[in-house]
Amino acid sequence: MIHWIIAPVILPAILAPFIVLAARYHIGIQRVFSIAGVSMVIAIAAGLAWQASDGTITLYQLGDWAAPFGIVLVADRLSTLMVLLTAVLALFVLLYSIGSGWDDRGRHFHALFQFQLMGIMGAFLTGDLFNLFVFFEVLLIASYGLMIHAGGNVRLRAGVQYVLFNLLGSTLFLFALGAIYAETGTLNMADLAQRVNLVSADTTVGIRVAAILLLLVFAIKAAVVPLHFWLPSSYAEAPAPVAALFAIMTKVGAYAIIRVYTIVFPPDLAVTADLHSALLLPAALISLAIGMVGVLAAGKLDRLVAFAVIGSMGMVMVAIAMFTPDSIAAALYYIVHSTLAAGALFLIVDLVRTGRANVDLVAAPPVGGAALTAGLFFVAAIAMAGLPPLSGFVGKLMILDAAYSTPAMVWIWAIVLSASLISVVGFARAGSIVFWKAQSIERPEDEPLPPSPAILSYVAVGGLLGLLVAHTVFAGPVQRYMAATSAQLFAPEPYISTVLDTPGKLSTPKEAN
């Protein structure tokens, strides 16, 4: 049994209370331990991803209890990819938080940050649905604390809205788990994969209801229309580093859909076979369209980026909804791209805010460090809009190619290309107002020059954009890895056998009887 699998979960869980108890009043010590912890998680995640790259599936049994009775963590290509992506994003977000001083504008930022990582990592690694629910709740509680970091009535209202929507999702999640357990007697995903197939054709109503409820829950997490209303205000009003970290949280919903609907409810399962095309695909196309129209209509730069996140999740969901090996591979490639691009854009918005009283899309005197900030915005906007030569363009090509042989090809191509054009216009409009028109406005002589952002803040943003460039340059090897990951997902037998056939050292109730 590989004990390293639990390290990305347990390390943040240990660091968070340590920071609160031992370094509550020492921001320097908090920063050191937080950076060191995330760096260690990156190293461990890279090792796990390397181990999984040849198709190896490793299992960790908590307490050495075998599945389905014990809690298990599973590391395969998909879970280790998402863990590594989260850890890398977290490092650059932390660097920006320190450079900009956001972590010192309220209390317990680093402890909450570590608890947030614990919840996200656990959601990606868990092998059963109940613990997926538990980790959802952990990241929800931590994210609410991070959202209202530094206070403010507007931020508090947005946080309450965020919590209410997600509590609704949690309630539906519990209903779905109850329905599944009543029908099958288990919540372990590998065990469910076997038991769902044994349900007789005349008693599948409960399973179908549970499958639809789970799809609704994960759609709320992924901000899919019409369940997206919580996202624009929540992400726009959150502190910039928190919003940048939240770029991975919508991907938790996408990950859950991919995981559950390839193992528990695979595309060839008759009782749930039409859910992807009948429910998810139309919602995904509408999400893409509404998100990019929001980019064009936004009156503030932070809301523009928030709507861009909705649009990018629509793009991801379009690929997932097709549920073919090629489309899932394209979705995974685009997930990495959109996470890095959204994270960078939220941080760039804060760079703009540093030199202005607000981020309204109205002409104002130039911001501090305008030339460098404008250059970073230009690169990030190209990436998010999907223009060549960056990875957004490559990802969209993969999605369009995967859609070529599907019945909805005309709709997918038309909406994807139209939304891309709208997003280009929206980002060009925002950039010209904030950076180009600003050069023609003179600053009053008695008004002091705005401060330039710290060098470490630029390093963090530059690091994320550098990863986007690398994601483009190495698109070939990355695409092959994503294709191998997709193939592993559509052949779940090794996953199921690894989870269920690995014995535990402790006797299970089944063995005792």
Side-chain angles (χ1 to χ4, degrees):
M1 185 165 60
I2 307 299
H3 293 277
W4 287 112
I5 299 175
I6 200 173
V9 179
I10 203 68
L11 187 58
I14 293 173
L15 273 176
F18 173 82
I19 289 172
V20 171
L21 296 174
R24 181 183 305 179
Y25 303 110
H26 304 280
I27 188 65
I29 297 176
Q30 293 180 35
R31 290 170 172 175
V32 169
F33 276 95
S34 198
I35 290 290
V38 172
S39 299
M40 290 176 63
V41 171
I42 290 176
I44 295 168
L48 292 174
W50 178 265
Q51 184 181 47
S53 62
D54 62 354
T56 300
I57 299 174
T58 50
L59 180 72
Y60 184 81
Q61 300 166 329
L62 275 75
D64 232 356
W65 281 87
F69 304 102
I71 298 171
V72 295
L73 302 180
V74 188
D76 62 355
R77 283 192 178 103
L78 177 59
S79 59
T80 55
L81 167 69
M82 299 305 294
V83 166
L84 181 58
L85 176 62
T86 303
V88 172
L89 175 67
L91 177 62
F92 288 108
V93 170
L94 270 180
L95 291 176
Y96 187 92
S97 303
I98 295 169
S100 62
W102 264 110
D103 62 334
D104 199 24
R105 299 183 193 180
R107 302 186 66 181
H108 307 308
F109 175 87
H110 290 281
L112 289 169
F113 193 93
Q114 296 297 326
F115 273 128
Q116 179 83 359
L117 288 183
M118 172 195 170
I120 297 173
M121 299 299 190
F124 288 144
L125 289 169
T126 187
D128 69 86
L129 289 177
F130 183 77
N131 283 284
L132 180 61
F133 167 78
V134 170
F135 285 119
F136 272 12
E137 296 311 296
V138 172
L139 66 88
L140 172 62
I141 294 170
S143 63
Y144 178 64
L146 288 172
M147 262 211 66
I148 61 174
H149 179 75
N153 291 332
V154 176
R155 188 168 293 152
L156 182 61
R157 284 197 300 270
V160 171
Q161 177 183 329
Y162 167 80
V163 169
L164 288 177
F165 266 91
N166 280 276
L167 284 178
L168 171 63
S170 299
T171 304
L172 293 177
F173 205 165
L174 278 179
F175 289 160
L177 295 181
I180 291 175
Y181 193 81
E183 294 289 337
T184 64
T186 185
L187 292 174
N188 179 279
M189 285 190 277
D191 199 29
L192 276 171
Q194 295 185 339
R195 298 199 186 192
V196 167
N197 284 315
L198 300 178
V199 177
S200 59
D202 57 341
T203 58
T204 58
V205 174
I207 292 296
R208 185 171 179 83
V209 168
I212 293 174
L213 285 176
L214 284 178
L215 192 61
L216 288 174
V217 171
F218 301 148
I220 290 175
K221 301 296 182 183
V224 176
V225 172
L227 305 171
H228 69 293
F229 295 105
W230 59 271
L231 190 146
S233 295
S234 301
Y235 280 37
E237 300 300 337
V242 175
L245 181 64
F246 282 7
I248 193 66
M249 285 181 54
T250 49
K251 310 309 184 296
V252 175
Y255 165 87
I257 292 176
I258 294 173
R259 177 66 76 191
V260 172
Y261 289 87
T262 53
I263 293 182
V264 181
F265 307 115
D268 58 351
L269 185 67
V271 67
T272 58
D274 61 337
L275 290 183
H276 320 124
S277 56
L279 297 180
L280 190 57
L281 183 58
L285 290 171
I286 295 172
S287 298
L288 174 58
I290 288 180
M292 294 313 173
V293 169
V295 168
L296 182 61
K300 292 186 176 183
L301 195 57
D302 49 8
R303 293 187 70 86
L304 179 147
V305 178
F307 276 105
V309 170
I310 294 174
S312 70
M313 283 309 301
M315 185 72 69
V316 169
M317 288 300 171
V318 166
I320 292 175
M322 290 185 279
F323 253 95
T324 65
D326 288 342
S327 70
I328 295 298
L332 295 177
Y333 183 92
Y334 200 85
I335 282 173
V336 176
H337 155 79
S338 62
T339 301
L340 298 175
L345 278 169
F346 278 118
L347 298 183
I348 292 169
V349 170
D350 196 59
L351 293 178
V352 174
R353 186 184 283 111
T354 301
R356 291 172 52 138
N358 53 57
V359 289
D360 294 341
L361 292 180
V362 294
V367 301
L372 182 54
T373 303
L376 294 174
F377 177 83
F378 179 72
V379 175
I382 285 177
M384 183 60 83
L387 290 177
L390 294 179
S391 53
F393 178 73
V394 178
K396 285 184 180 180
L397 283 182
M398 292 179 181
I399 294 172
L400 293 175
D401 183 62
Y404 190 75
S405 57
T406 63
M409 186 269 288
V410 173
W411 284 104
I412 294 173
W413 276 57
I415 294 178
V416 168
L417 294 177
S418 300
S420 299
L421 176 60
I422 293 172
S423 68
V424 170
V425 175
F427 276 105
R429 165 181 166 266
S432 64
I433 291 174
V434 174
F435 300 108
W436 180 41
K437 289 185 179 179
Q439 304 303 320
S440 61
I441 299 178
E442 295 184 1
R443 186 177 302 277
E445 294 182 0
D446 58 344
E447 182 178 330
L449 291 174
S452 295
I455 297 298
L456 189 57
S457 300
Y458 282 119
V459 169
V461 177
L464 289 174
L465 295 181
L467 290 175
L468 277 175
V469 173
H471 195 48
T472 308
V473 172
F474 297 101
V478 172
Q479 192 278 333
R480 288 191 291 272
Y481 185 87
M482 300 309 184
T485 302
S486 178
Q488 188 179 57
L489 289 168
F490 280 87
E493 292 79 12
Y495 181 103
I496 296 171
S497 61
T498 299
V499 173
L500 297 181
D501 296 342
T502 302
K505 291 182 181 179
L506 299 179
S507 298
T508 65
K510 182 177 180 180
E511 293 170 342
N513 292 332

